[in-house]
Amino acid sequence: MRYPGVLPALDGGPAIAFSSEALATRDAPVSPGKFPTLIFSHGFGSQPERHAWLSENLASKGYIVIAPDHADKPFNQQNALGEAIVLRAYDIAATAAVALADTTWREHIDADRIGLIGYSLGGLGALRVAGAAFNRTGAPATLIAHPAFSALLEGGPLDRGGLIANLKAMVLLAPWGGQSNVNAFAPASLAKVTTPALFLSGDRDDVSGYHDGVARLYAGLSAAPRAFVTFENAGHTIAAAPLPPEGRGVFLYEEFFEDPVWRKERLYGVSQHFITAFLDVHVKGDTTRAPYLALPDGQSADGVWPQPPGSPSTGAYASGQAGVTIWRGFQRRWAEGLRYRSDPQDTP
């Protein structure tokens, strides 16, 4: 099957329809049994199909992945961002409720093992669902006058912990809302969240911010087991789909989809590696994956794999061999351009 998509109209030109090849098969038979379930929330103005590189990969590893289309208004429509902020947490919580009530899927969803994945604005929604109430003095609260949003504020009727029962973990890809000029979350509420969280971000992210943004959210989750993978010199598009051929040669499309430094295949491979290990540990309860997260804080390039000069590359993966400090699961010479943090008291 193929996923449909539309490149937005630019500079008065028409929107461009495209499609991308999928690994999934429509209406495939459902395996018997119950499975851990993940809800994926895409970024503002995006679609779930743009993140099939991750959702299909996780589905192939034994997860049910539910990726709702949030149907955000176009960027240039009045109040589009404000409406998306209001609705995102409600959408995620409602998706879980509908799936658990569905007569077909409730036979397969393990309600005791649910995780969230959010990219950009989807990360804001995931944090709110996990129990981080919105800040009454933050920019969204001062700009959005809506009863549904007021209910999500600190001290509001929905400030009572997480909005999904048995939430085991969340993955936050370049989450939006931590910038000091946005300040979306109440610090005291953020500090009460205990859901394990994996952050992934580029340190050149000028949409969600890095030090003044994603890292502030990481530091704010002081009660949660958490880890942070940084892609050095990467921007905001670490989780976006690659640009389809129909848009190549147009800089605005290139900028929206691609990263100027990192290849998408490399971003996807590293992300899948860490996300799989993290979710397997915290959602599936598979402790055999824990060594892939038990890394020293610091840069990936600090690891060594001593070999005589001129030794050929074999493609072997670091797996705890004596004298090898290359990150577990990475090949010699390929653990480059990354930083890792897992100390709850530390920041990237």
Side-chain angles (χ1 to χ4, degrees), residues 193-207:
V193 174
T194 58
T195 302
L198 172 66
F199 287 73
L200 299 95
S201 176
D203 63 8
R204 294 293 183 268
D205 189 330
D206 60 356
V207 175

Side-chain angles (χ1 to χ4, degrees), residues 12 37 71 87 96 98 156 177 184 187 190 201 208 217 219 224 236 249 259 291 303 312 314 323 345:
T37 299
L87 294 177
V98 169
L190 199 65
S201 176
S208 293
L217 294 175
H236 186 65
D259 187 85
T314 64
Q345 303 305 316

Side-chain angles (χ1 to χ4, degrees), residues 279-342:
L279 293 175
D280 281 0
V281 168
H282 293 287
V283 179
K284 285 186 178 179
D286 182 357
T287 57
T288 65
R289 304 295 194 188
Y292 294 99
L293 303 170
L295 305 176
D297 287 1
Q299 293 183 305
S300 55
D302 292 340
V304 298
W305 193 326
Q307 287 188 347
S311 298
S313 296
T314 64
Y317 294 90
S319 58
Q321 302 97 317
V324 174
T325 59
I326 292 289
W327 288 2
R328 184 181 290 261
F330 283 78
Q331 294 161 305
R332 183 170 175 259
R333 297 177 176 154
W334 283 80
E336 301 288 340
L338 301 163
R339 295 198 302 275
Y340 187 78
R341 288 283 187 267
S342 60

Side-chain angles (χ1 to χ4, degrees), residues 80-155:
L81 177 59
E83 180 177 298
I85 292 172
V86 172
L87 294 177
R88 194 54 56 103
Y90 288 110
D91 279 359
I92 296 170
T95 296
V98 169
L100 289 169
D102 184 272
T103 55
T104 298
W105 285 105
R106 70 185 180 194
E107 300 299 321
H108 300 286
I109 293 174
D110 187 342
D112 292 325
R113 295 188 294 170
I114 294 179
L116 299 180
I117 305 173
Y119 171 49
S120 193
L121 195 69
L124 174 139
L127 278 164
R128 183 61 192 86
V129 168
F134 289 130
N135 191 352
R136 288 187 173 274
T137 60
T142 61
L143 296 173
I144 300 171
H146 195 290
F149 184 75
S150 298
L152 298 172
L153 292 172
E154 185 178 30

Side-chain angles (χ1 to χ4, degrees), residues 132-182:
F134 289 130
N135 191 352
R136 288 187 173 274
T137 60
T142 61
L143 296 173
I144 300 171
H146 195 290
F149 184 75
S150 298
L152 298 172
L153 292 172
E154 185 178 30
L158 292 181
D159 183 9
R160 50 173 174 74
L163 303 183
I164 294 179
N166 297 316
L167 182 61
K168 298 300 184 186
M170 56 182 166
V171 174
L172 305 170
L173 296 148
W176 188 87
Q179 310 93 306
S180 57
N181 65 342
V182 176

